[in-house]
Amino acid sequence: MRVDFDEAIKFIYAHDNYHILTHQSPDGDTLGSAFSLCAVLRKLGKKANVLCSDEFPHRYDNMYEGYQPMKFMPEAIVAVDVADSKLLGRSLAHYSEYVNLCIDHHISNTEYAERTLLNANASAACEVMFELYEKMGVELDTYIASCLYTGIATDTGCFKYENTTPRCHQIAAELMSRYNVPYAIINRKMFDVKSKDRMRIEQYVMSNMEFYFDDRCSMITITEELTKDFGIELAEFEGLASLTIQLENVEIGVTIKQKSNNIFKISMRSATTADVSAICRKLGGGGHVKAAGAQLTGTPEEVKRRILTVVGEALGYDLWLV
Amino acid sequence: MRVDFDEAIKFIYAHDNYHILTHQSPDGDTLGSAFSLCAVLRKLGKKANVLCSDEFPHRYDNMYEGYQPMKFMPEAIVAVDVADSKLLGRSLAHYSEYVNLCIDHHISNTEYAERTLLNANASAACEVMFELYEKMGVELDTYIASCLYTGIATDTGCFKYENTTPRCHQIAAELMSRYNVPYAIINRKMFDVKSKDRMRIEQYVMSNMEFYFDDRCSMITITEELTKDFGIELAEFEGLASLTIQLENVEIGVTIKQKSNNIFKISMRSATTADVSAICRKLGGGGHVKAAGAQLTGTPEEVKRRILTVVGEALGYDLWLV
């Protein structure tokens, strides 16, 4: 059932002991939503914990460092920025059918929750959270505002991407001027700082990138062997797909990640008007126009050929044969 | 003489034929200010040209592609985002003493112009331009708004850096909602796209970076030989200094660029609270707390040693000797 802000607020005020669920492979938006909500609920004298199937990534330590889980039996389950109950991940899967309220901004939300508060025009779930707290009349503080700022900034690539809205700029202005958010420190941590390991990987990727169709398609392959050789934690391999469309002229960037011997996870990015969601559907996958994916089985050569065939087709190389 | 908006507007309305000057090595802010002003003046039926000592960089082609210089004798000279007449560069140096109005946001403005409209709290000169057009009651259009957006975005690192203000977020929101600025396309061009040459340079820099003082200082050296070997236009070498502080733990990043046989241009960046302006003053240079520079003469070894001595001192390595 879709609910509006008033109904969501009524629900929130009516309960006292909250488990707040985030999606697996947590990002700034799900964590910013969850930790801000946790702080708001505790401010109101309620009990609340933040739960996640995976560990909180190091870069979000400002959100979780001061956080202490409380001991209590949950009475209400709220999921934030979780579009599908499958995304709760393995260790939260038992909550799938018991989410009382989901607060989200994904148009693809499957409405698995009892109540869904959805604003598909919001750039980030944290934008919805901000409106919620405003409507609740809760006075925020620097910590809560920083959580919200982090969510909005990370989901929009620091106000860079298409999904950035005038509204999220206005909210950023509010958070900065009213609550003294240390935005420069947050942004440096989210967008500018790299570990030495990450730098090594990026160097590898950049120097081993392959180009096809007059440089209009770029491709990187991360083999299982490579990830082992690097001896680097898997989290450092996240987000490499965006590197494939950094080069001028590249229209479609492909990342092939070997999951096991003959299973490959494909991530595709579009730098222009090319619809990679349509391309990935041909490979049995799907996603958004500018970012999509698929999973393929076969030898590395077979997988590469299948990808290049559909990408070549999309770029108008009809007769291209490997 | 410092002037306020009203006096600047009175001046603008009182004249008809404008030369608009930008600073050398032009960036998005000086060009966004100049091209927006040029379009506004022409809208008002006046004649105006944009002048620059250097070529307009390729990435700003959306600003200059539709622009046609006009033929006329100038009656009024306006400089935008030019803090010091020296920054006009060689081919505009003859204007140094004849600037009638300077519109700027640098607190260091030398007030070389007859009239200076300065807002040192603005994140970018384009922020001042926006206020000016608002006060003039000029109706903007997508082109003018895109120039202003580009200036604000480039000067703040896409709303990432310390100099970002709530006001510039509000202006971004206005420009996006009222004038349909293609912000995602602009941002991709300004921040995400690289040429193959640029990628080669970055790869070189990243793999040849040196580390000192427990990785708290990083250093890259761009020799004359290297720039020749690469066979790459010099503009591609701009902005490398920011790469030095990308690595976590690095507090001070040093870029050494060989200008000629024994002359080296030093750029220093601070990732934390270290004051690189103070460090560079010890080398005869200066600048801002987080970004400063100096010029040194000597052999490469001598230059490096002098730099490491003052950096080591600043980081508390008192007894460090090369």
Side-chain angles (χ1 to χ4, degrees):
Chain A
M1 178 179 71
R2 288 283 194 103
V3 296
D4 60 19
F5 279 105
D6 286 343
E7 291 162 308
I9 291 168
K10 206 177 286 171
F11 174 85
I12 290 169
Y13 279 124
H15 298 83
D16 282 322
N17 303 304
Y18 284 88
H19 274 185
I20 304 167
L21 314 184
T22 58
H23 63 69
Q24 62 188 356
S25 305
D27 58 14
D29 195 28
T30 198
L31 294 177
S33 297
F35 281 107
S36 67
L37 181 59
C38 184
V40 163
L41 293 173
R42 289 183 180 185
K43 260 189 177 225
L44 295 172
K46 299 174 188 296
K47 288 182 178 148
N49 281 340
V50 175
L51 278 68
C52 187
S53 271
D54 298 306
E55 265 186 56
F56 302 133
H58 175 60
R59 62 177 359 166
Y60 303 112
D61 55 2
N62 286 339
M63 292 191 196
Y64 66 74
E65 256 183 12
Y67 162 80
Q68 295 285 353
M70 302 169 95
K71 279 190 180 158
F72 61 89
M73 282 297 292
E75 180 201 351
I77 312 295
V78 181
V80 285
D81 194 41
V82 184
D84 187 319
S85 59
K86 283 179 204 151
L87 300 172
L88 291 170
R90 196 184 298 183
S91 44
L92 297 183
H94 58 283
Y95 282 116
S96 291
E97 291 167 32
Y98 304 101
V99 177
N100 303 111
L101 172 63
C102 170
I103 307 175
D104 193 17
H105 72 119
H106 293 96
I107 197 162
S108 58
N109 190 294
T110 62
E111 301 197 25
Y112 58 91
E114 216 173 20
R115 294 165 194 79
T116 304
L117 175 64
L118 183 78
N119 176 3
N121 295 317
S123 61
C126 279
E127 196 179 315
V128 189
M129 304 310 289
F130 177 83
E131 311 284 3
L132 178 73
Y133 306 149
E134 288 271 295
K135 287 192 161 59
M136 286 172 75
V138 185
E139 182 62 19
L140 308 188
D141 56 29
T142 303
Y143 170 80
I144 295 171
S146 298
C147 289
L148 296 177
Y149 181 92
T150 304
I152 293 172
T154 50
D155 253 32
T156 59
C158 210
F159 311 96
K160 203 164 60 177
Y161 301 138
E162 196 65 47
N163 68 341
T164 308
T165 57
R167 183 72 190 124
C168 79
H169 274 293
Q170 284 159 354
I171 294 173
E174 293 266 309
L175 295 173
M176 285 163 68
S177 59
R178 280 162 56 188
Y179 305 106
N180 214 9
V181 169
Y183 56 93
I185 294 170
I186 293 173
N187 291 334
R188 177 166 158 75
K189 202 158 170 178
M190 297 301 143
F191 304 108
D192 284 348
V193 174
K194 288 173 191 169
S195 68
K196 266 194 176 174
D197 283 347
R198 175 67 181 198
M199 196 181 279
R200 272 172 61 210
I201 298 164
E202 290 192 3
Q203 265 173 47
Y204 172 87
V205 163
M206 296 312 244
S207 29
N208 290 279
M209 201 176 278
E210 293 170 10
F211 297 95
Y212 299 93
F213 310 118
D214 306 312
D215 289 359
R216 292 169 65 194
C217 169
S218 67
M219 186 181 277
I220 55 178
T221 308
I222 315 283
T223 62
E224 228 186 345
E225 212 183 330
L226 182 77
T227 48
K228 268 183 213 145
D229 282 359
F230 267 112
I232 286 173
E233 60 169 318
L234 274 177
E236 297 282 7
F237 283 89
E238 289 304 314
L240 291 177
S242 64
L243 297 182
T244 58
I245 52 167
Q246 268 195 347
L247 264 189
E248 54 186 3
N249 305 325
V250 167
E251 293 172 43
I252 295 175
V254 182
T255 308
I256 306 177
K257 225 178 205 163
Q258 187 172 33
K259 292 191 75 173
S260 66
N261 186 26
N262 64 343
I263 300 181
F264 296 86
K265 203 185 146 214
I266 317 302
S267 299
M268 226 176 263
R269 294 289 181 272
S270 165
T272 56
T273 50
D275 178 357
V276 290
S277 148
I279 300 175
C280 285
R281 274 200 300 275
K282 290 189 189 166
L283 299 170
H288 305 283
V289 176
K290 299 222 167 240
Q295 187 157 306
L296 294 177
T297 311
T299 67
E301 294 69 32
E302 284 166 2
V303 164
K304 211 156 137 177
R305 187 202 301 207
R306 283 175 61 194
I307 296 169
L308 286 175
T309 304
V310 290
V311 169
E313 231 174 73
L315 292 176
Y317 292 71
D318 288 337
L319 298 174
W320 187 83
L321 295 164
V322 193
Chain B
M1 176 181 72
R2 288 283 194 103
V3 296
D4 60 20
F5 279 105
D6 286 342
E7 291 162 308
I9 291 168
K10 205 177 287 173
F11 175 84
I12 289 169
Y13 278 124
H15 298 82
D16 281 321
N17 303 304
Y18 284 88
H19 275 185
I20 304 166
L21 314 183
T22 57
H23 63 67
Q24 63 189 356
S25 306
D27 59 13
D29 195 26
T30 198
L31 293 178
S33 299
F35 282 107
S36 67
L37 180 59
C38 185
V40 163
L41 293 173
R42 290 183 180 186
K43 259 190 179 226
L44 295 173
K46 299 172 187 295
K47 288 183 177 147
N49 282 340
V50 175
L51 278 67
C52 187
S53 273
D54 297 306
E55 264 186 57
F56 302 134
H58 176 61
R59 63 179 353 168
Y60 304 112
D61 56 2
N62 286 340
M63 292 192 196
Y64 67 74
E65 256 182 12
Y67 162 80
Q68 295 286 353
M70 303 169 96
K71 279 191 180 156
F72 61 87
M73 282 296 293
E75 181 201 348
I77 312 295
V78 181
V80 285
D81 195 41
V82 183
D84 187 319
S85 58
K86 282 180 206 152
L87 300 172
L88 290 170
R90 197 184 298 184
S91 45
L92 296 183
H94 57 284
Y95 281 116
S96 292
E97 291 168 31
Y98 304 100
V99 178
N100 303 112
L101 173 63
C102 171
I103 308 175
D104 193 18
H105 72 117
H106 292 97
I107 197 162
S108 58
N109 190 293
T110 61
E111 300 198 25
Y112 58 91
E114 216 174 20
R115 295 165 193 79
T116 304
L117 175 63
L118 183 80
N119 177 2
N121 295 318
S123 60
C126 279
E127 196 179 317
V128 189
M129 303 311 288
F130 177 83
E131 311 283 5
L132 178 71
Y133 306 148
E134 287 269 296
K135 288 194 161 60
M136 286 172 76
V138 185
E139 182 62 18
L140 308 188
D141 56 29
T142 303
Y143 170 80
I144 296 171
S146 298
C147 288
L148 296 177
Y149 181 92
T150 305
I152 293 172
T154 50
D155 252 34
T156 58
C158 210
F159 311 96
K160 203 164 61 178
Y161 302 138
E162 195 66 48
N163 67 341
T164 308
T165 58
R167 183 72 189 125
C168 78
H169 275 294
Q170 284 159 353
I171 294 174
E174 293 265 311
L175 295 174
M176 287 164 67
S177 59
R178 280 164 54 189
Y179 305 106
N180 214 10
V181 170
Y183 55 93
I185 295 170
I186 293 173
N187 291 334
R188 177 164 158 75
K189 202 158 171 178
M190 297 301 143
F191 304 109
D192 284 347
V193 173
K194 288 174 192 169
S195 68
K196 266 194 175 173
D197 283 348
R198 176 66 181 200
M199 196 180 278
R200 273 172 60 210
I201 298 164
E202 290 192 3
Q203 264 173 48
Y204 172 87
V205 163
M206 297 312 245
S207 29
N208 290 279
M209 203 177 274
E210 294 171 9
F211 296 95
Y212 299 93
F213 310 118
D214 306 311
D215 290 357
R216 292 169 64 195
C217 170
S218 67
M219 186 181 279
I220 56 177
T221 309
I222 315 284
T223 62
E224 230 185 343
E225 212 182 331
L226 181 77
T227 48
K228 269 184 214 144
D229 283 357
F230 266 112
I232 287 174
E233 60 168 319
L234 274 176
E236 297 283 6
F237 283 89
E238 290 305 315
L240 291 175
S242 64
L243 297 181
T244 58
I245 52 168
Q246 268 195 348
L247 265 189
E248 56 186 2
N249 306 325
V250 167
E251 294 171 43
I252 295 175
V254 182
T255 307
I256 307 178
K257 224 179 206 163
Q258 188 173 31
K259 292 190 75 173
S260 66
N261 186 27
N262 64 343
I263 300 183
F264 297 86
K265 202 186 146 214
I266 317 302
S267 300
M268 225 175 263
R269 293 289 179 275
S270 165
T272 55
T273 51
D275 179 356
V276 289
S277 148
I279 299 174
C280 285
R281 274 200 300 276
K282 289 189 189 165
L283 299 170
H288 303 282
V289 175
K290 299 224 166 239
Q295 187 157 306
L296 294 177
T297 310
T299 67
E301 294 68 33
E302 282 165 5
V303 164
K304 212 155 138 177
R305 187 201 300 206
R306 283 175 61 194
I307 296 169
L308 286 175
T309 305
V310 290
V311 169
E313 230 174 75
L315 292 175
Y317 292 71
D318 288 336
L319 298 174
W320 187 83
L321 294 163
V322 193

